[in-house]
Amino acid sequence: MSSTDDIDALIEMMAKLPGLGPRSARRAVLHLIRKRALLLTPLADVMQTVAATARECLNCGNVGTTDVCDICTSNKRQNGELCVVEDVADLWAMERSGVFKGRYHVLGGTLSALDAVGPEELRIPRLIDRIDAEDVREVILALNATIDGQTTAHYIADQLEGSVTLTTLAQGVPIGGELDYLDDGTITAALRARKPV
Amino acid sequence: MSSTDDIDALIEMMAKLPGLGPRSARRAVLHLIRKRALLLTPLADVMQTVAATARECLNCGNVGTTDVCDICTSNKRQNGELCVVEDVADLWAMERSGVFKGRYHVLGGTLSALDAVGPEELRIPRLIDRIDAEDVREVILALNATIDGQTTAHYIADQLEGSVTLTTLAQGVPIGGELDYLDDGTITAALRARKPV
């Protein structure tokens, strides 16, 4: 056995992370080894802790270290507003904006006939249960503006029609966006939804 | 204490790795949490092992899990040829080419008056010791073709002059390189070092 087998294994595992390739994994591992007391040991410890404690919220699908997540149990969040997102990363993005004070429901993906992802796989039945159980008045469909995202949004809208107010995020020019760099679809959407000044 | 403090700490530590930023760290951590049994636990274990065992070779500065690295102790490597590189990443790059059969000496950086990096910090005294101790005939200066790298190469060449054969990597057009994308310096170097067909 070579004395660098563990280091090679570490590089190989790091290289499989999204956003890292073999070259950046080697750089990262060398950086970690150089500062092993300061970086590698604490990182390994935190990873052990997270591996042991992280779980999905049984209610909304968010990631946390308790069976029901902080947002679901917080009494500072408004009841009655439910924001439906595809993924935990989208929930985090919404939270960074700090503007939404209701609760979330994470689908965990989008409907896809090709990948055999149906409503059961996406926590859609649980969403329908929550609307009664939590007395939800408004469901905000904050799905990605992709074809899969919009297909899923339409399916959910069909299922919930009549029982709650359904809204979706506005489409238009992003803040700081330059028209010249935007695609035709965005410009069309922004023009159709134009507002009086 | 929030139930996501550990997850936030993990994201923050991952975001400090070279090649990762806050966004890619969040993606990587979510990916790891989703597959925690398959990825996160093994990764944390390997990190613990590497943190406990990784060290720099006392002889050449390479990274391994023994006091003297595999390359220094191998009897399959040729004695008498020493390849001087700036960094362990450069040693790994040379090893991937598989063409060099001698041994290495890792400087651990380049001379820099600004950052107060002198010959003592760069294992240059150890390099001079090794030339006598290991009966080295040829020293290949495989330093980066940057100003700092070339300054360091000149300094080492001055120190070793007369005692060994000194060579350096050839400069020219990279394999697969297109002239139109190369800088003037590379084209000048390639033209000056042109060879009969």
Side-chain angles (χ1 to χ4, degrees):
Chain A
M1 183 177 143
S2 159
S3 83
T4 57
D5 277 357
D6 286 328
I7 298 174
D8 290 342
L10 178 55
I11 293 171
E12 208 172 292
M13 291 171 99
M14 294 284 285
K16 281 182 193 152
L17 293 181
L20 283 174
R23 193 170 182 287
S24 43
R26 283 194 298 269
R27 272 183 67 206
V29 168
L30 267 182
H31 180 76
L32 285 170
I33 290 177
R34 259 186 227 117
K35 308 199 169 174
R36 49 194 174 279
L38 212 67
L39 292 180
L40 189 52
T41 311
L43 182 56
D45 290 344
V46 171
M47 275 190 180
Q48 294 279 23
T49 314
V50 171
T53 59
R55 65 199 68 195
E56 284 176 350
C57 171
L58 296 174
N59 195 40
C60 76
N62 186 15
V63 155
T65 50
T66 43
D67 279 341
V68 178
C69 77
D70 290 351
I71 295 176
C72 284
T73 52
S74 168
N75 52 18
K76 288 184 187 149
R77 314 288 302 207
Q78 281 164 29
N79 286 317
E81 282 183 12
L82 211 55
C83 180
V84 177
V85 291
E86 278 179 35
D87 199 276
V88 177
D90 300 331
L91 185 158
W92 290 352
M94 294 286 294
E95 281 297 280
R96 282 198 299 282
S97 82
V99 101
F100 181 66
K101 296 296 176 205
R103 299 181 207 269
Y104 293 92
H105 192 79
V106 181
L107 296 177
T110 49
L111 292 173
S112 165
L114 263 179
D115 300 328
V117 179
E120 300 292 330
E121 277 78 37
L122 290 187
R123 291 198 197 86
I124 291 178
R126 174 88 202 121
L127 170 64
I128 294 167
D129 290 348
R130 285 184 74 189
I131 286 169
D132 283 335
E134 300 180 24
D135 200 15
V136 174
R137 293 180 312 275
E138 181 178 353
V139 168
I140 302 165
L141 296 170
L143 297 164
N144 290 333
T146 56
I147 292 181
D148 280 350
Q150 293 308 302
T151 310
T152 309
H154 273 118
Y155 176 84
I156 295 174
D158 273 351
Q159 298 290 307
L160 301 185
E161 219 181 355
S163 56
V164 283
T165 309
L166 280 165
T167 55
T168 178
L169 295 183
Q171 293 194 309
V173 182
I175 305 298
E178 294 178 53
L179 291 190
D180 195 19
Y181 289 92
L182 287 177
D183 61 301
D184 299 350
T186 303
I187 291 182
T188 308
L191 194 65
R192 284 199 184 135
R194 66 190 178 277
K195 297 195 286 186
V197 181
Chain B
M1 184 178 142
S2 159
S3 84
T4 57
D5 277 357
D6 287 329
I7 298 173
D8 290 342
L10 179 55
I11 293 171
E12 208 174 291
M13 291 169 100
M14 294 283 286
K16 282 184 193 149
L17 293 181
L20 282 175
R23 194 170 180 286
S24 42
R26 283 195 298 267
R27 272 184 66 205
V29 168
L30 267 182
H31 180 76
L32 285 170
I33 289 177
R34 261 187 225 115
K35 308 200 170 172
R36 51 193 172 279
L38 211 69
L39 292 180
L40 189 52
T41 311
L43 182 57
D45 291 344
V46 170
M47 275 191 180
Q48 294 278 24
T49 314
V50 171
T53 59
R55 65 197 69 195
E56 285 175 349
C57 170
L58 296 173
N59 196 38
C60 76
N62 185 15
V63 155
T65 50
T66 43
D67 279 342
V68 178
C69 76
D70 290 350
I71 295 175
C72 284
T73 52
S74 168
N75 52 19
K76 288 183 187 148
R77 312 288 302 206
Q78 282 165 28
N79 286 317
E81 281 183 13
L82 210 55
C83 179
V84 178
V85 291
E86 279 178 36
D87 198 277
V88 178
D90 300 331
L91 186 159
W92 290 351
M94 295 286 294
E95 280 297 281
R96 281 198 300 281
S97 82
V99 101
F100 181 65
K101 296 295 175 206
R103 299 182 206 269
Y104 293 92
H105 192 77
V106 181
L107 296 176
T110 50
L111 293 173
S112 166
L114 263 180
D115 299 329
V117 180
E120 300 291 332
E121 278 77 37
L122 290 186
R123 292 196 196 87
I124 291 178
R126 174 88 202 123
L127 171 64
I128 295 168
D129 290 348
R130 284 184 74 188
I131 285 169
D132 284 336
E134 300 179 25
D135 201 14
V136 174
R137 293 180 311 277
E138 181 178 355
V139 169
I140 303 166
L141 297 170
L143 298 165
N144 291 334
T146 56
I147 292 181
D148 280 351
Q150 293 308 302
T151 309
T152 310
H154 273 119
Y155 175 86
I156 295 174
D158 273 351
Q159 298 290 307
L160 301 186
E161 219 181 354
S163 56
V164 282
T165 308
L166 280 164
T167 54
T168 180
L169 295 182
Q171 292 193 309
V173 181
I175 306 299
E178 295 178 53
L179 291 190
D180 196 19
Y181 289 90
L182 288 176
D183 61 301
D184 299 351
T186 303
I187 290 182
T188 308
L191 193 65
R192 284 199 184 135
R194 66 190 179 276
K195 297 195 288 188
V197 181

